[in-house]
C-alpha cells in the first residue's frame, strides 16, 4: 500500500471512500470526523500475510470517559458493517474502527489519510518474542471463549469477553508494545478465527434476545 514513504494514491482514494461509506452507515449526521488514519501492522514493520489494514475514523466521542453507550454503539455498528461487507485492499481485509480523538491507538506507525502524511513514522527494531507465554495465554483464552459462546444466554455475556480481550490488548500495547504477549495473543486469536466467532455469537444472541 506504500510507494516510498507515501501511501499509494489509488490505495488512499479507496480507503477514503471506504471510510466515508462507513461514516454514512453509522447514521450519525452530526458526527464530526477529525481525521482518518491507518495504523497497526500495515503502518509499521510488523506486517504479516495475516495483517489487516486498520482504518480509523477519528472523532470526538461525547462523554467518552464516563459513558460506554457510544463505545458499544460504534462496536455494534462495526460488527454489522463487517458482517455485511467483505472489503479488501490488495487481498487484505480492511478493519474499521471509530477512535476517540482523546484516546489514540498505541501503534509503531500512524498515517493520516486526510493530510496524506505520517503522524508517527515507524522505525524498525528487531523484535523479541516470548513464544511460550503467548501460546499459554492463547490456550487459556480459547477455553474461555469456547465456554462463553456455549453458555451465553445474553448478548452481554459475549460482550464481556470481547471487552476483556480489547482491554487486555490495550493494556499490553501500553506496557510492552506490539510484540508484547497480550497484543500477540490477540492477533493469534484473530488469525485462528476466534475473534470472528465472538462477533458472530454476539450478533446471534442479539437476534435471539429480540425474537419471539
Amino acid at each position: 500500500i506504500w510507494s516510498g514513504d507515501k501511501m499509494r494514491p489509488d490505495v488512499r482514494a479507496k480507503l477514503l471512500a471506504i471510510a466515508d461509506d462507513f461514516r454514512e452507515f453509522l447514521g450519525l449526521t452530526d458526527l464530526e470526523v477529525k481525521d482518518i488514519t491507518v495504523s497497526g501492522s500495515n503502518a509499521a514493520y510488523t506486517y504479516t500475510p495475516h495483517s489487516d489494514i486498520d482504518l480509523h475514523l477519528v472523532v470526538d466521542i461525547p462523554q467518552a470517559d464516563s459513558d460506554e453507550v457510544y463505545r458499544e454503539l460504534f462496536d455494534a455498528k462495526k460488527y454489522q458493517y463487517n458482517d455485511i461487507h467483505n472489503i479488501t485492499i490488495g487481498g487484505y481485509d480492511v478493519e474499521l474502527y471509530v477512535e476517540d480523538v482523546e484516546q489514540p491507538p498505541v501503534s509503531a506507525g500512524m498515517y493520516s489519510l486526510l493530510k496524506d502524511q505520517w503522524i508517527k513514522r515507524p522505525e524498525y527494531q528487531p523484535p523479541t518474542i516470548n513464544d511460550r507465554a503467548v501460546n499459554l495465554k492463547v490456550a487459556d483464552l480459547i477455553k474461555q471463549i469456547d465456554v462463553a459462546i456455549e453458555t451465553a444466554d445474553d448478548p452481554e455475556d459475549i460482550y464481556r469477553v470481547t471487552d476483556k480481550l480489547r482491554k487486555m490488548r490495550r493494556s499490553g500495547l501500553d506496557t510492552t508494545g506490539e510484540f508484547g504477549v497480550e497484543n500477540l495473543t490477540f492477533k493469534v486469536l484473530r488469525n485462528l478465527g476466534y475473534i470472528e466467532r465472538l462477533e458472530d455469537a454476539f450478533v446471534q444472541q442479539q437476534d435471539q434476545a429480540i425474537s419471539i
Side-chain angles (χ1 to χ4, degrees), residues 19-207:
D20 188 58
D21 186 61
F22 182 54
R23 180 189 59 78
E24 290 187 12
F25 181 80
L26 291 173
L28 301 175
T29 56
D30 59 343
L31 186 67
E32 182 183 358
V33 177
K34 302 287 188 179
D35 201 354
I36 300 170
T37 65
V38 170
S39 57
S41 298
N42 268 303
Y45 291 98
T46 55
Y47 58 88
T48 74
H50 301 289
S51 298
D52 49 27
I53 298 173
D54 294 339
L55 181 60
H56 291 236
L57 272 66
V58 183
V59 304
D60 187 4
I61 301 178
Q63 300 175 333
D65 292 333
S66 58
D67 195 340
E68 285 293 309
V69 172
Y70 292 98
R71 183 74 272 155
E72 292 182 16
L73 169 65
F74 291 141
D75 284 346
K77 281 288 190 177
K78 167 192 165 180
Y79 298 149
Q80 186 181 7
Y81 188 85
N82 287 337
D83 190 50
I84 295 171
H85 299 282
N86 181 26
I87 301 172
T88 61
I89 297 289
Y92 293 91
D93 291 334
V94 177
E95 184 77 8
L96 287 145
Y97 297 89
V98 179
E99 172 195 320
D100 178 19
V101 68
E102 300 296 333
Q103 297 180 354
V106 178
S107 178
M110 191 181 305
Y111 194 86
S112 168
L113 295 178
L114 292 186
K115 297 177 183 178
D116 196 20
Q117 64 184 31
W118 288 101
I119 298 171
K120 181 180 180 181
R121 190 183 297 270
E123 296 181 2
Y124 178 71
Q125 295 180 341
T128 300
I129 298 172
N130 188 335
D131 288 330
R132 184 174 184 275
V134 172
N135 290 334
L136 288 172
K137 199 165 190 67
V138 166
D140 177 61
L141 285 169
I142 283 175
K143 292 178 182 177
Q144 293 187 45
I145 292 170
D146 285 339
V147 169
I149 292 175
E150 290 171 6
T151 61
D153 54 11
D154 186 280
E156 286 301 311
D157 296 337
I158 301 297
Y159 183 80
R160 277 191 288 272
V161 179
T162 307
D163 190 52
K164 174 183 177 180
L165 291 173
R166 187 174 70 237
K167 289 179 178 177
M168 174 199 75
R169 186 187 193 191
R170 178 79 192 193
S171 174
L173 284 168
D174 287 343
T175 56
T176 55
E178 291 195 53
F179 291 102
V181 171
E182 291 83 1
N183 186 50
L184 292 177
T185 296
F186 183 90
K187 290 193 172 188
V188 171
L189 291 170
R190 184 179 61 193
N191 293 342
L192 291 174
Y194 279 91
I195 304 301
E196 184 177 0
R197 283 188 62 199
L198 278 172
E199 294 173 358
D200 291 344
F202 178 78
V203 173
Q204 184 179 13
Q205 285 295 330
Q206 280 187 316
D207 291 346

